[in-house]
Amino acid sequence: MSTQEIAWRVSLVLMTLVVFGFAFVAINSGTREEDYAPLQKRAYRVRTRLFWTLVSVFGPVMIYTLVGLPYDASRAGSVAGTVQVVEVKGYQWRWELSRDHVAKDQPVEFRVTSADVNHGFGIYGPDMHLVAETQAMPGYTNVVRYTFREEGTYRILCLEYCGVAHHNMMTEFKVGAL
Ligand code: CUA
């Protein structure tokens, strides 16, 4: 079932509940005032039931949608011993990497800094889509973690104008079996 279908079914359930709510009010609108206390009791019961219905509908929906977020990728480095560390330093106008080959399906931690001015550290996949980025700053190390799922040649481009040869600030590294 697609996410859209699930959203549609949830909306349908909620719309049905709203219709029942209106029907309840409409049916009971003719009741005389001395009957108000028992009606109030019933309304509270309905409200409690509605509350738990909503919790049981939105609880699983919330968990389901959270599972889809890429939290795993950013948490990957917390598993000690499995992370591949790459020291990165930006210069006008080149990148220096402590290694140019990493294994796929294993978290990589890039520790990015700069020897001179601010640079933009951008990793591009074999299809030239940006997969991860951070800023390379002098006197500071930014950490970016990423787990590569596809083998191939990846490129690092500078994403921040840093002088006349900014456009030449490019290097490559390989993702594959070590
Ligand atoms: Cu370094 Cu632009």
Side-chain angles (χ1 to χ4, degrees), residues 57-68:
V57 168
F58 278 111
V61 166
M62 195 181 74
I63 291 162
Y64 173 79
T65 54
L66 285 178
V67 165

Side-chain angles (χ1 to χ4, degrees), residues 119 158 160-162 166 169:
H119 301 278
C158 185
E160 186 173 332
Y161 183 73
C162 55
H166 153 76
M169 206 169 153

